[in-house]
Amino acid sequence: MIRLPPTLRFATYPVSAFPALSGANQGHAIGIGAAAIPGDIYRLVRHARTAQLAIFDDPDRGQRVAPGSEVGNPGEAVAILECHNLMDRTGAIIDVLVLRHTSGAGDATLHLLPLSPLRPGTEYELIASARATAPEAFNDIIPVGFFSGTRLTLASGALVPVETLRVGDLVLTRAHGPRPIRWIGQKTHRATGDAAPICITAGTLNAARDLRLSPHDRLFIWQRHDELRTGRSEVLIKAELLVNGTTVLCDQGGYLECYEILFDRREIVFAEGIAVESLRGVSETPARGPMEPALGGHAADMPADPSIEIDERALNDPRDAVERLARASGGIRV
């Protein structure tokens, strides 16, 4: 039985919801290879509905369907096949990924993952397609670090912007005290669609300033009172589950600089005063620098224990998630 919770969750369309209006593949759904020819014009059908694809990373077998997914069954394979570049009538470029889900019986189904929102009724021209860069495009919507301007707590207690940190700097970690940074990476990530950062506004959960996190980044909460009824004091919760439209917002638009901070193992660090999990890679993420060697051999020490991650169903009404976490931690103001 699959016990790992979803590590990533995306809104996908069936490829049948995005047919070609004109061109070589007129009347057919967008696909890969010969089923997607530059110059063809596509349009999202008017009543298209998304389905949430939840996946987790199996170190040995790659991306797999996670429990709670609206697409597929737990444990079934998911592959990233191709990235299409589309252009609308205004000249704006929209990237979409074609994913393949393979059922336990071996049947394959294609799904469309837009990296920016597709608008019903809008016509899109296919400009180009690429298979080799599809995993990298997928990585663009999975920031695995801290956005520029985010301040981390050093061993000295000082709050320092992540972009000013250097290899060897001692950062305060929750489980292991001061730990030296082993590697720093930097990349520009899109901040639209499912990749748009979540902004925890200053004062919320005791944040020193506005804190922007990836939707998939996980906050560490220590419950003085079992407000969430998990039966444990330590919990991890994804930032996206805290969005309430007032104190925690989805911050859409543009691109942001993201800094990956690597320690000897994954750690819980303090970003703007909030305990947050550090680097979390996935198998589709291209290896950069010494990531794999540095993480190897420490799996048992990693704080990213899936058993302590909050199932969104435990929150009941997500609108009061922040208030419940504040009460659970005791004395943290909302």
Side-chain angles (χ1 to χ4, degrees):
M1 177 180 178
I2 301 298
R3 295 182 179 179
L4 290 175
T7 58
L8 304 169
R9 184 175 57 182
F10 303 105
T12 63
Y13 293 101
V15 292
S16 59
F18 201 60
L21 297 179
S22 62
N25 286 307
Q26 182 176 355
H28 296 283
I30 195 168
I32 60 174
I37 305 298
D40 285 359
I41 304 298
Y42 290 87
R43 185 170 63 193
L44 189 66
V45 298
R46 186 172 300 277
H47 300 296
R49 294 290 183 269
T50 60
Q52 290 290 327
L53 171 62
I55 61 178
F56 70 90
D57 189 57
D58 184 319
D60 299 319
R61 300 187 300 165
Q63 300 298 319
R64 297 278 159 174
V65 176
S69 178
E70 295 177 353
V71 176
N73 297 303
E76 293 176 340
V78 177
I80 303 165
L81 299 184
E82 198 155 339
C83 180
H84 296 313
N85 308 126
L86 307 169
M87 183 173 67
D88 66 17
R89 295 304 186 187
T90 70
I93 301 298
I94 306 294
D95 293 335
V96 298
L97 295 176
V98 178
L99 311 180
R100 181 182 63 217
H101 156 245
T102 305
S103 72
D107 299 322
T109 306
L110 299 184
H111 304 272
L112 198 66
L113 170 56
L115 304 190
S116 296
L118 291 174
R119 299 184 300 276
T122 298
E123 296 183 358
Y124 298 91
E125 180 180 353
L126 180 61
I127 303 301
S129 303
R131 292 193 178 189
T133 59
E136 184 175 348
F138 180 71
N139 183 48
D140 276 350
I141 58 173
I142 313 172
V144 286
F146 297 98
F147 295 115
S148 177
T150 301
R151 299 180 304 171
L152 300 187
T153 303
L154 299 185
S156 65
L159 293 174
V160 177
V162 64
E163 63 269 25
T164 68
L165 293 174
R166 299 291 181 266
V167 171
D169 285 349
L170 292 177
V171 175
L172 182 64
T173 71
R174 184 182 185 277
H176 303 107
R179 303 303 300 172
I181 295 174
R182 297 302 188 191
W183 181 78
I184 299 175
Q186 182 271 333
K187 190 173 183 180
T188 301
H189 283 277
R190 68 180 71 234
T192 57
D194 287 333
I198 305 303
C199 178
I200 300 173
T201 57
T204 304
L205 296 177
N206 220 26
R209 296 195 314 185
D210 287 359
L211 172 62
R212 287 173 175 79
L213 298 170
S214 159
H216 308 293
D217 281 341
R218 302 192 289 186
L219 285 70
F220 175 90
I221 302 292
W222 188 81
Q223 295 193 99
R224 289 188 174 89
H225 315 286
D226 192 8
E227 176 70 25
L228 301 180
R229 298 181 181 178
T230 61
R232 54 185 179 270
S233 58
E234 297 182 343
V235 295
L236 290 168
I237 184 168
K238 289 190 182 71
E240 66 179 354
L241 299 181
L242 300 178
V243 174
N244 57 17
T246 54
T247 59
V248 182
L249 310 167
C250 184
D251 194 5
Q252 291 274 358
Y255 290 81
L256 291 171
E257 296 299 309
C258 188
Y259 291 82
E260 304 170 31
I261 306 297
L262 186 67
F263 302 95
D264 288 325
R265 65 198 73 192
R266 292 179 187 172
E267 299 282 2
I268 299 295
V269 298
F270 298 92
E272 300 298 349
I274 292 181
V276 181
E277 186 183 13
S278 70
L279 178 62
R280 303 172 62 222
V282 295
S283 62
E284 297 289 354
T285 304
R288 295 185 293 275
M291 288 169 59
E292 292 304 320
L295 289 176
H298 293 290
D301 300 317
M302 293 180 183
D305 179 358
S307 69
I308 70 171
E309 182 167 352
I310 288 292
D311 186 317
E312 61 185 296
R313 291 170 296 184
L315 297 176
N316 296 323
D317 185 350
R319 290 175 298 181
D320 70 353
V322 173
E323 182 178 351
R324 294 181 66 190
L325 289 174
R327 291 199 303 266
S329 298
I332 298 180
R333 58 193 177 92
V334 178

